[in-house]
Structure formats: C-alpha cells, structure tokens
C-alpha cells in the first residue's frame, strides 16, 4: 500500500510483514502478520520516527521516498533500538549521513553495538524538545517499553504520541491503518493483548509509569501512533485503557475466569479435564480451555494474564510434570505472572511427580493453591465426583475472593 497521511505533513511509511513465521524468533505470526510502523514528519525540517525490520527495507524506502528526499533528511528519531524497528537504519544512514539521530543514552549504546553507528547521534535529556518548524517534538524517556533504551515522542500542536512497542499489537494492517477504519476492532484488541502478554507483560510496571508520565507532563494526546498495529486516532484512550488494564492483570488484579490447560497421553487426564470444566461452568465462571501439546503458549499467555484462576490438568511423565506443561510454567515464571488462584489434577501410574513440580513453581509465583488431586491409572467412575467438585471449588473461590 502507498504511504498514508496521519495528520497534515505526517505520513505512515511503515511496512507489513506477512512472511515472518516467528516474531522474535519464537512467537507465531504466520496467520496474523505484523506491521512495523514508521512515520515521516515533513515540516520545515524533516524527521523520520522509527524505521522497519531489515527484511522490509524495499517497501519502506519506496514509501518514504514518495514523501521526501531521503538524502536530505534532517533527523531520525529512534524510540527503541530492537531491530524490528531499526533494521533499516544502516540503509538510511548511508543515504543520509547528515541526519542526526535522536535517542536515549542506552539507545545510543545499542545502536553502536548493533550497527557500529556512533557519529551524529544526539542523546536526549528528559523532556527535551526539538523544533521542526510548525511542529515541536518532546522526548520522554520511558525505559523498559520494552527494553531499557525506550522513549516516547510527542508531537505538538497535532498531539501525536509516537510510542513504538507501547500500545502496539500483532496483526498486519489490511490496507488501512486507523482504528476507526477497522470493521473488527476486537480482532486488533485481542492481537494487542497477545502482543502485550508475549512481549510487554513482564514490564507492566513500566507501562503504568509511562502512562503516569504522559499524564503528569500535561501533554494532550489526540493520536497514539505505535510501532506495531493500528494507529489510534478516533479513540486513543481505548488502547491506553487496554494497556493500563492489562498491566493491572499482571499485578493480580485480573478477571473472574479460569485458564484450564491440560494435556493427555491416553485420554484419562483429558476426560478428567472435561469434568473439571463442567464443574467450573456450573458455577457460571468463564473458562478458557487449551490443549497444551497442540497450542502454542503465545495463544495461552493472554488467558493466563486475563484470568485470576489457573488450573493445570497434566499427567506425570518420567517422574515429573508432562513436558509441555513444564515449558508453559517456565514461560509464566519468566513473565513473572504472579498472584493467581490455582489448582492441579492429573494421572500417574507408579511414582507420581507432576504435582510436586507444579507446586514448586506455584509457590515461587505466590499462587494461592486451592486444590490438588491425582488419580492412579485410568479415570474411573468414582473419580468423577471429586473432579466435578474441584472445578466448582475453584470457581466458587474466584466468585467470592476479594480483589487484590
Ligand atoms: Fe517491536 Fe521491542 O520491538
């Protein structure tokens, strides 16, 4: 698609990526794709805000050159150094060596580490401004969104906030870039939640700090222009509120619902899971069910973040927890998703061991263990009552437990 006007003299010149299977080499985007959003401000001075991944340089440069002569570019604003936003930097630097890079101190170090670029780099101070003519940029360092190098850039008087990873989401842009043009905003909100749970979640306190910083700086925000996903011009507050809510989920202030993850080798734990799910549903509590062995954790993590309840139904495997469950637990621990109400069940045949491993991770994450049950060998008729009650018990607990 051609470049797209965001406001007068400001154009989106980013690129869709529909060919990368794994974002960051691990999060699936084969079906959804992703956009790398870049913006050119064509005032008396020109400023390029963020760039694209190296694999998408060609369409990016075509769009950029349709708006301005790259060789005469004045400034390059780097809000975040991760190569999905800076892979094109060496190409632009070669075409426009005179363009001064504006970034944080950490970003300057990273740009040098990644690309060997150290000349003509200006390290910004907190709140520093840069006049482009009719417009002024204000730089607000906001570390850990999602690396220590990150900052937000505000443009007045149009009140556009360029946020890079913050307020971004997965999902390529299907011919339009704005929230008000989307007939399925829920899809983009869900992909933003998946992006948040996969990429930003561990840095939730930084999200809260950044939102507070923008508020305290008394900067009006009419448009949120992130580095991935939709540009929010009709309702920027929608994505700000979403991110604030998801950062609260991280702190345990999550919703009354259960993430029921299970895996089953020969169907016994699987049958037990159906009974547990029935017990939860009987209490009117929403339940999201995932087969661990067949669902990438990228799609499970949003539910783990959203729901206060988490139930693992997995068998013992070689005296430990079923390996796909160990993998998910490890990622939940890395994301530091704490303060959940938890339960576990599953089959064993001789030694057991799954529940011990689950309990160790649950304790580390300060999860409130509501109930644990194991059964030996096959799932039998006399197992049904306790499995049903396990589901009802955690559901009832969620309905009555006070919020964090
Ligand atoms: Fe989209 Fe942290 O890079």
């Amino acid at each position: 698609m051609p470049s797209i006007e965001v406001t007068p003299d400001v154009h989106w010149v980013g690129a869709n990526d529909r060919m990368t299977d794994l974002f960051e080499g691990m999060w699936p985007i084969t079906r959804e794709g992703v956009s790398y959003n870049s913006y050119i401000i064509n005032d008396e001075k020109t400023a390029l805000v963020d760039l694209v991944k190296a694999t998408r340089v060609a369409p990016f440069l075509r769009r950029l050159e349709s708006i301005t002569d790259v060789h005469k570019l004045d400034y390059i604003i780097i809000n975040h150094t991760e190569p999905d936003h800076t892979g094109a930097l060496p190409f632009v630097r070669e075409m426009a060596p005179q363009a001064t890079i504006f970034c944080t101190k950490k970003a300057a170090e990273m740009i040098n580490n990644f690309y060997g670029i150290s000349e003509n780099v200006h390290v910004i101070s907190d709140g520093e401004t840069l006049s482009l003519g009719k417009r002024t940029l204000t730089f607000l360092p906001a570390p850990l969104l999602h690396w220590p190098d990150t900052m937000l850039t505000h443009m007045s008087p149009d009140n556009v906030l360029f946020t890079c990873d913050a307020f971004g989401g997965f999902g390529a842009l299907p011919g339009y870039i704005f929230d008000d043009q989307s007939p399925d905003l829920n899809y983009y909100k869900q992909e933003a939640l998946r992006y948040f749970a996969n990429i930003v979640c561990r840095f939730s306190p930084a999200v809260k700090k950044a939102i507070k910083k923008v508020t305290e700086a008394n900067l009006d925000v009419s448009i949120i222009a992130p580095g991935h996903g939709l540009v929010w011009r009709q309702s920027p507050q929608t994505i700000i509120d979403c991110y604030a809510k998801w950062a609260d989920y991280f702190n345990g202030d999550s919703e009354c619902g259960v993430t029921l993850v299970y895996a089953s080798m020969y169907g016994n734990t699987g049958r037990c899971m159906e009974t547990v799910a029935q017990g939860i549903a009987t209490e009117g509590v929403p339940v999201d069910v995932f087969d661990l062995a067949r669902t990438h954790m990228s799609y499970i993590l949003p539910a783990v973040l959203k729901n206060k309840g988490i139930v693992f139904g997995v068998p013992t495997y070689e005296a430990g927890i079923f390996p796909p469950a160990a993998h998910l637990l490890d990622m939940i621990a890395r994301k530091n998703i704490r303060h959940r109400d938890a339960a576990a069940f599953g089959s064993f045949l001789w030694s057991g061991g799954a529940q011990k491993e689950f309990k160790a991770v649950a304790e580390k994450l300060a999860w409130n263990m509501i109930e644990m049950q194991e059964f030996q060998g096959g799932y039998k008729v006399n197992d049904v009552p306790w499995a049903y009650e396990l589901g009802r018990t955690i559901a009832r607990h969620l309905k009555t437990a006070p919020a964090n």
Side-chain angles (χ1 to χ4, degrees), residues 1-21:
M1 63 185 165
S3 62
I4 295 173
E5 186 181 89
V6 176
T7 61
D9 301 328
V10 179
H11 284 79
W12 176 90
V13 290
N16 273 326
D17 186 350
R18 298 181 188 275
M19 290 182 287
T20 295
D21 290 319

Side-chain angles (χ1 to χ4, degrees), residues 246-308:
W246 301 335
D248 286 339
Y249 287 167
F250 172 80
N251 291 324
D253 191 6
S254 35
E255 296 186 13
C256 178
V258 175
T259 308
L260 174 51
V261 288
Y262 80 101
S264 191
M265 286 185 278
Y266 297 102
N268 290 295
T269 301
R271 284 165 56 216
C272 184
M273 177 280 293
E274 298 289 1
T275 311
V276 172
Q278 195 181 1
I280 298 167
T282 299
E283 291 293 328
V285 169
V287 56
D288 296 314
V289 180
F290 299 97
D291 179 341
L292 271 170
R294 293 177 180 80
T295 313
H296 194 286
M297 62 187 171
S298 171
Y299 298 95
I300 303 175
L301 285 172
V304 174
L305 189 65
K306 183 188 76 172
N307 294 321
K308 181 77 172 167

Side-chain angles (χ1 to χ4, degrees), residues 23-24 80 82-85 145-147 164-165 195 199 227-228:
F23 188 81
E24 285 190 339
H80 176 29
E82 193 161 4
D84 52 332
H85 306 286
L145 289 176
H146 91 282
W147 284 0
C164 207
D165 277 353
Y195 181 83
I199 312 294
H228 302 290

Side-chain angles (χ1 to χ4, degrees), residues 117-181:
I117 294 173
S118 57
E119 299 293 313
N120 208 9
V121 175
H122 175 81
V123 171
I124 58 97
S125 57
D126 196 346
E128 183 175 335
T129 58
L130 172 66
S131 173
L132 302 177
K134 294 192 286 290
R135 295 172 182 83
T136 300
L137 300 181
T138 302
F139 305 111
L140 301 168
L144 297 174
L145 289 176
H146 91 282
W147 284 0
D149 62 323
T150 42
M151 67 176 187
L152 310 173
T153 297
H154 181 270
M155 186 187 81
S156 62
D158 315 67
N159 296 324
V160 180
L161 188 64
F162 301 100
T163 60
C164 207
D165 277 353
F167 311 119
F170 290 133
L173 298 168
Y176 58 79
I177 67 168
F178 297 110
D179 57 342
D180 52 282
Q181 294 174 306

